[in-house]
Amino acid sequence: RCGAMMVKEIEKSGMPVVHMVNMVPVAKGIGSNRIVKTYGISYPMHDPEATEEAQREQRYELVGRALKALNTDIREQTVFE
């Protein structure tokens, strides 16, 4: 919940923020607007069972999705999957 509150407060200042989180319902409940769903609590940016190369690709893809979310005009809460 702490991350969602930080996102909400930063957005109040007018700066767009992407919340990368695996618990989408919590992010929505707190009020995050741009949400990118991640892999899990312990390893949010990659699947720990994947190869090192696959993990790098997973991180690259998530960051790309976050950048796309940051550059997208939105009118309501949006989950970028």
Side-chain angles (χ1 to χ4, degrees):
R1 277 189 260 164
C2 178
M5 291 303 293
M6 288 190 291
V7 165
K8 189 173 178 179
E9 291 301 312
I10 293 169
E11 285 186 336
K12 278 184 185 177
S13 73
M15 183 182 300
V17 177
V18 175
H19 191 185
M20 298 178 76
V21 61
N22 67 326
M23 295 174 60
V24 172
V26 173
K28 283 180 144 185
I30 297 294
S32 296
N33 289 313
R34 289 176 177 85
I35 303 166
V36 171
K37 182 163 176 26
T38 60
Y39 287 90
I41 293 173
S42 298
Y43 298 92
M45 297 298 287
H46 66 270
D47 176 3
E49 301 296 320
T51 66
E52 198 170 308
E53 176 67 26
Q55 289 177 7
R56 188 170 345 124
E57 290 173 13
Q58 290 168 346
R59 290 190 300 269
Y60 186 86
E61 190 271 330
L62 280 174
V63 171
R65 211 177 321 157
L67 290 172
K68 179 182 175 189
L70 193 59
N71 286 296
T72 302
D73 287 332
I74 60 170
R75 300 277 185 244
E76 58 187 27
Q77 286 181 316
T78 305
V79 178
F80 294 84
E81 296 194 47

